[in-house]
Amino acid sequence: MNLTGKIAIVTGASRGIGRACAIKLATLGAKVVVNYNKNADAANLVVAEIVQAGDGAIAVQGDVSQFAVAQAVIKATIDAYGRIDILVNNAGTTRDTLLAIMKEEEFDLVIATNLKSVFNMSKAALRQMMKQKYGRIVNMTSIAGVVGNPGQTNYSASKAGIIGFTKAMAKEYGAKNIAVNAVAPGYIPTDLTNSLPENIKEGIVKMTALQRMGTPEEIANIVAFLASDDASYITGQVINADGGLT
């Protein structure tokens, strides 16, 4: 895979899977815009790691659950690099609890951060990608969006929505040479999953065919493939990366 000359944006790239994606794309030659919401220090460390390896990167702050902010992130990218080839919609959050006691704001926050951010960034990037007649969008969903997960009606709904969005956008813009795919990770140790009780983690691992957790780097490898021209005839697909859990 070779991404030399490509410009990539990764949302939620200061940690976890987003961080791994940003670094992987950079190692393949892309210049990367590291989007983050709150943790500037962590985002700057990602940029420093990429730059130290000899690749280009900038950090751009912004809560992409807000459309005007998403537009600003796209503008900052075009101002810096002149184009956008790859968009990885990875920004996400959780507010896990049973539906009976879930607060409305907990549902709304997860939908906005996980799902509306995909709409915001994809729509904001679309004009530039159509102008170029080229684009690769990879959306981060989850096996929770495929099979559901108790205690995560908000999260599961947001991730299922991403799957529908991915398939519909792929059909709308395939003729414009814009490919849209999604990756559905299983259990990957990140800040979002570290709060799970140990017995839950152990139970998940036992249900996988590979009998282990995944890593952010393994997910980043799939994202990089889908973002590359090696996947030029793949669009509208959801790749389950869950160690055989589903």
Side-chain angles (χ1 to χ4, degrees):
M1 293 182 289
N2 186 350
L3 299 177
T4 300
K6 303 297 187 186
I7 308 303
I9 303 172
V10 182
T11 66
S14 65
R15 60 182 182 171
I17 291 173
R19 176 183 181 278
C21 289
I23 292 171
K24 180 65 178 182
L25 296 177
T27 62
L28 295 173
K31 290 181 171 58
V32 182
V33 173
V34 176
N35 164 255
Y36 69 98
N37 184 17
K38 295 178 180 178
N39 198 334
D41 289 342
N44 288 330
L45 285 175
V46 177
V47 170
E49 183 171 344
I50 292 171
V51 171
Q52 188 174 15
D55 300 300
I58 59 172
V60 177
Q61 191 277 334
D63 176 2
V64 294
S65 70
Q66 302 177 48
F67 184 63
V69 175
Q71 288 180 306
V73 172
I74 295 298
K75 183 179 185 302
T77 302
I78 296 172
D79 289 347
Y81 296 118
R83 60 184 291 121
I84 303 164
D85 300 292
I86 299 162
L87 170 61
V88 180
N89 283 312
N90 170 76
T93 193
T94 57
R95 292 294 186 275
D96 297 350
T97 190
L98 295 174
L99 179 61
I101 57 175
M102 184 178 291
K103 298 175 182 177
E104 182 180 5
E105 53 267 30
E106 291 173 327
F107 184 87
D108 290 346
L109 176 66
V110 171
I111 294 296
T113 303
N114 297 1
L115 177 57
K116 189 166 187 290
S117 64
V118 175
F119 164 82
N120 291 344
M121 289 297 295
S122 300
K123 181 175 174 61
L126 189 56
R127 179 176 294 182
Q128 180 65 32
M129 288 184 172
M130 289 178 67
K131 179 181 177 182
Q132 299 165 180
K133 295 183 173 61
Y134 183 92
R136 299 290 181 264
I137 298 176
V138 184
N139 298 321
M140 200 61 63
T141 180
S142 167
I143 58 165
V146 178
V147 300
N149 207 27
Q152 290 191 318
T153 50
N154 48 4
Y155 186 77
S156 298
S158 70
K159 294 301 185 177
I162 289 171
I163 291 173
F165 183 97
T166 297
K167 292 177 177 293
M169 187 178 181
K171 290 182 176 181
E172 287 185 13
Y173 295 101
K176 302 294 184 182
N177 196 27
I178 299 172
V180 189
N181 292 289
V183 179
Y187 180 69
I188 310 295
T190 66
D191 289 351
L192 292 184
T193 58
N194 286 340
S195 61
L196 289 173
E198 285 302 318
N199 65 314
I200 298 295
K201 297 177 186 179
E202 292 170 4
I204 293 171
V205 168
K206 287 179 181 178
M207 289 190 292
T208 66
L210 297 181
Q211 293 290 288
R212 67 174 178 85
M213 305 173 189
T215 68
E217 289 73 23
E218 287 175 312
I219 304 304
N221 289 339
I222 302 167
V223 170
F225 169 67
L226 293 173
S228 76
D229 288 337
D230 289 353
S232 56
Y233 200 54
I234 300 175
T235 194
Q237 302 304 305
V238 180
I239 308 299
N240 287 359
D242 60 10
L245 180 62
T246 54

